[in-house]
Amino acid sequence: MLDDPRTVRISGDDTAAVFRRTEDADAERRPDDYRGKPVPEAYVWCNLTSGNGSRALWLLLLPFMVVNLAHWMRPTSRHRKRLVRTYGLLVRLVGLTLTVLLVAAACEVALDLTAWQCAGTPACAADRAWLGFLATDASGDGGWWSQPGRRLALAAAVPTALTGLLWYLSHRTWSAYESQQPLPHQDDPEEETSRTALGRPGFWYGRRLVARLRAAHTAAGLLTVAAAVGTSAARHDRRPSGPALLDALGWALDATLVLGGAVVVWVVCRRGRSENRLDRRLDRTLVRRLPLSALVVLVLTLLYAGWSRPDWRSAGRLPGDATFGGIALVQGLLVVGLAVVAHLLHRTSPDARTAIRGFGGPAVAMLSCALGGVMSGGGAQRVADWLDGTQGSIDGPPVLLTWQASVIPPLLVVVAVLCAWFGVQTVRRKRRELTRIPLDHPGEPEDSTRTRRIAGTRARAALTDRAPLLVGIISAVTLLLGAAALTGAWLSGTTPEQAAQGTPDVVEGAAETAQALGSWLIGFGFILFVTWGRRAYKDPSARRTIGILWDVGTFWPRAAHPFAPPCYAERAVPDLTWRMAAWTRATQATGGRLVLSGHSQGSVLAAAAAWQLRPSVRKRVALLTYGSPLERLYGRWFPAHFGPASLMSLHREVDCWRNLYRTTDPIGGPIQLPGDWGPQVDRPALKDPLAYGRTEAHPLPAPILGHSDYQADPAFAEERARLLARLKPGVPAPRPSAAEAAQAPDGAEAAVTPGPADPPGTAG
């Protein structure tokens, strides 16, 4: 970024920091040497997304990250606050079901398949020496741990540990990344004109909501484990000859679980994000007592299940079909309700550029549920195959998971058809580009190979604009196939292969093939998550690839799911804002001028940081973006925060904004402001490659750069020079208030010493 191998860190730590060239480290002390020259600075934040190898394990939290994205994909709305709150509430409830689904899948593996079925079946336990102390013999006798209730109580340690791990990761990552204090917003007569929530004081500080959701989701996980253990014992105690005391305890347990679930749902529904002010409070009583109360209920449940019941035998499956079926039904209803609310919001201020006509959030929420289903079903299928192999001594996972696996092959057929259609569209676009490229390079000798390569790059870059159609169709088909699987499981009560017996041979063969292929595919998908995470732990290049995925997925605060990977922007945006505010205060004699430049996701951080500045400070900032997804991705998928009104307000509030893009770039694009505002921001598309053939300036073939190396284009230096020239020293400086001066970070005043010859600054 600084185009110099000799750099020095002037602020920050090993995670994220501001760097300068070594020769510029003391620029403030030598104002005469920098008169009329900029001081380049680079803010480096890559370790927030692709640091050590343990970050790769966050792939297992992918469904939680995806549902959190759905929260921010709310359509633009005008004066519909009740619908906005309903939208956020429904997404939070979808996130809660994902936590219950993950813990229920762990219970299925540990309690049902291992402790109940395999340990309770002599033929299965005989091949597993580590299950010997839990196993029963052919007559049903065994050691102290062989009773089903005690086996379930011991196996409950696995899902309980998983819940505790999720709580620990959420708490630790929040402390490490998201506890940074944003720049305080002062109550002054300045009129705040920002049209986006990203400029609100509490947007990048969601401490209170994350703590509440973490307590609720932790309690939900512990109560799910308690329900898996306790309801099985209670169902056994309700037989006519069962002890009256245990029967009463069973009913009391069921009532406690229902009450605890109601409290968890109430906590999730009670409060959303607080963005209009910086809310530093914590609901300490709720945050501490709710998980602790759920843990107490779990311990009492384990003691109740461990009570001696000599006549209790494990047979068949635990009632997993009802559990997973209920979760799938609730998720489907929530997604449908979310789609209705999104449609009503989109109707208030329709925008043709909004992804999937406002249904982007519901579509992504549906995909998060599908990912959760693949991971839970895949884990159960693979563990069942590992425990039983081809013996057929245990019943295996619930029937619903088998039905869900059976609909994966039809879904993949739909995906293959869509990919083929996109391929045809890409070929057609490439043919159109073949005729345009010679017009872009008049007088050049034509090279058919070179032309095809450039045309192919442009055509593939345009596929990004087709992504909303792909996501929308896949989500709709997933919802329909999921409903079909749920209906088939509940009506037949058997696997697809068994339900198809007696039908024509073609139908029976198709059902058998779909069930077998789907079982392997769903297991393969689960193994893929694990192996990819393991590879990324050892391979830095793979870890960087995952970091790119995290750039978009973890930009947004955790508003729907507390166990999602942490939000790096809650560290990066305050870093940038504090740095810019410190510069403008320390150089108030010259107006504190700077050019803020950002590439790709850095342009999104630059815009978010600019929105957090006071309006008078924002007027002294020039913005230079290149390869920017601000409109092409964020504007379409997150219209409530990066829609046309928000981007227009950003253009009006900063001193100047210029944007560079290429037609060969699959990520960046024009800002496309309406009317005459567009040319003021967007420079015409840059040439890529810089030269078609060999020239004196480019004696070797110029590469097709696509999304990279924008700074190598002469247009970058030209636009930056224009912005620096525009920011003249005569701009008046703001007068910092006493409260603002008191909130300045330690050493901020010494970072840039005020003086009559202080130069404008640039930050990349």
Side-chain angles (χ1 to χ4, degrees), residues 6 24 162 273-274 279 302 593 624 661-662 679 735:
R6 300 166 300 168
D24 296 333
L162 174 63
R273 282 177 56 82
S274 176
D279 192 355
L302 298 182
R593 307 166 318 277
L624 177 60
Y661 69 98
R662 302 186 181 111
R735 179 177 300 172

Side-chain angles (χ1 to χ4, degrees), residues 407-497:
V407 301
I408 290 182
L411 178 62
L412 292 181
V413 171
V414 174
V415 174
V417 171
L418 286 175
C419 292
W421 184 77
F422 285 144
V424 172
Q425 296 297 317
T426 302
V427 171
R428 292 178 178 176
R429 186 178 182 88
K430 180 179 178 180
R431 291 175 181 173
R432 292 194 298 268
E433 293 292 342
L434 289 174
T435 62
R436 298 173 183 171
I437 292 175
L439 301 178
D440 296 338
H441 303 276
E444 296 275 358
E446 186 173 354
D447 183 344
S448 59
T449 302
R450 179 76 160 172
T451 301
R452 286 196 299 270
R453 186 175 295 122
I454 298 173
T457 304
R458 290 183 180 180
R460 289 189 295 271
L463 285 175
T464 303
D465 300 320
R466 303 278 185 177
L469 178 62
L470 178 66
V471 172
I473 294 178
I474 291 177
S475 298
V477 173
T478 301
L479 179 62
L480 294 176
L481 291 177
L486 183 61
T487 303
W490 279 2
L491 291 180
S492 66
T494 59
T495 64
E497 180 182 357

Side-chain angles (χ1 to χ4, degrees), residues 231-261:
T231 55
S232 300
R235 189 172 57 255
H236 171 75
D237 293 336
R238 291 195 189 104
R239 68 191 191 282
S241 58
L245 176 60
L246 292 181
D247 188 17
L249 290 177
W251 284 109
L253 172 64
D254 289 346
T256 303
L257 292 175
V258 171
L259 178 61

Side-chain angles (χ1 to χ4, degrees), residues 105-444:
C107 292
E108 171 63 29
V109 169
L111 275 67
D112 186 13
L113 295 175
T114 304
W116 180 266
Q117 295 188 39
C118 189
T121 305
C124 179
D127 297 332
R128 302 286 179 264
W130 51 275
L131 283 178
F133 71 104
L134 297 176
T136 59
D137 54 27
S139 62
D141 298 327
W144 190 86
W145 286 104
S146 63
Q147 291 191 17
R150 294 169 181 171
R151 280 189 266 132
L152 294 178
L154 180 62
V158 174
T160 303
L162 174 63
T163 305
L165 177 63
L166 292 175
W167 175 90
Y168 170 76
L169 290 176
S170 176
H171 186 273
R172 180 178 179 273
T173 54
W174 180 88
S175 300
Y177 300 100
E178 300 172 88
S179 59
Q180 302 296 319
Q181 292 282 348
L183 185 70
H185 288 226
Q186 305 298 330
D187 296 328
D188 54 36
E190 295 188 32
E191 181 182 359
E192 181 58 63
T193 58
S194 178
R195 294 290 300 276
T196 178
L198 274 73
R200 296 173 182 168
F203 187 88
W204 299 109
Y205 194 72
R207 178 184 184 185
R208 187 177 187 184
L209 176 64
V210 173
R212 287 176 62 93
L213 290 180
R214 180 168 58 244
H217 283 245
T218 303
L222 296 176
L223 291 176
T224 301
V225 181
V229 176
T231 55
S232 300
R235 189 172 57 255
H236 171 75
D237 293 336
R238 291 195 189 104
R239 68 191 191 282
S241 58
L245 176 60
L246 292 181
D247 188 17
L249 290 177
W251 284 109
L253 172 64
D254 289 346
T256 303
L257 292 175
V258 171
L259 178 61
V263 172
V264 168
V265 173
W266 177 82
V267 171
V268 172
C269 298
R270 180 65 180 85
R271 181 182 294 276
R273 282 177 56 82
S274 176
E275 300 172 351
N276 293 324
R277 60 186 177 87
L278 188 59
D279 192 355
R280 294 187 177 92
R281 295 180 299 168
L282 276 182
D283 305 310
R284 298 187 182 276
T285 302
L286 173 68
V287 169
R288 293 175 180 176
R289 292 186 179 179
L290 185 58
L292 182 60
S293 300
L295 182 60
V296 170
V297 172
L298 175 60
V299 171
L300 294 177
T301 301
L302 298 182
L303 295 176
Y304 164 71
W307 194 276
S308 178
R309 299 175 177 85
D311 58 338
W312 191 9
R313 300 288 183 270
S314 58
R317 304 185 183 95
L318 292 179
D321 280 308
T323 301
F324 288 101
I327 294 174
L329 179 61
V330 170
Q331 287 180 339
L333 294 177
L334 289 174
V335 169
V336 172
L338 191 65
V340 173
V341 175
H343 175 67
L344 295 176
L345 287 172
H346 181 66
R347 287 178 55 187
T348 61
S349 53
D351 181 11
R353 292 286 294 172
T354 300
I356 324 180
R357 299 183 179 274
F359 290 111
V364 171
M366 186 66 246
L367 290 182
S368 70
C369 297
L371 286 172
V374 168
M375 295 179 66
S376 60
Q381 292 281 357
R382 295 284 66 81
V383 170
D385 292 342
W386 172 64
L387 288 174
D388 194 33
T390 58
Q391 298 181 18
S393 58
I394 63 176
D395 292 341
V399 172
L400 177 61
L401 296 183
T402 305
W403 276 88
Q404 290 177 339
S406 300
V407 301
I408 290 182
L411 178 62
L412 292 181
V413 171
V414 174
V415 174
V417 171
L418 286 175
C419 292
W421 184 77
F422 285 144
V424 172
Q425 296 297 317
T426 302
V427 171
R428 292 178 178 176
R429 186 178 182 88
K430 180 179 178 180
R431 291 175 181 173
R432 292 194 298 268
E433 293 292 342
L434 289 174
T435 62
R436 298 173 183 171
I437 292 175
L439 301 178
D440 296 338
H441 303 276
E444 296 275 358

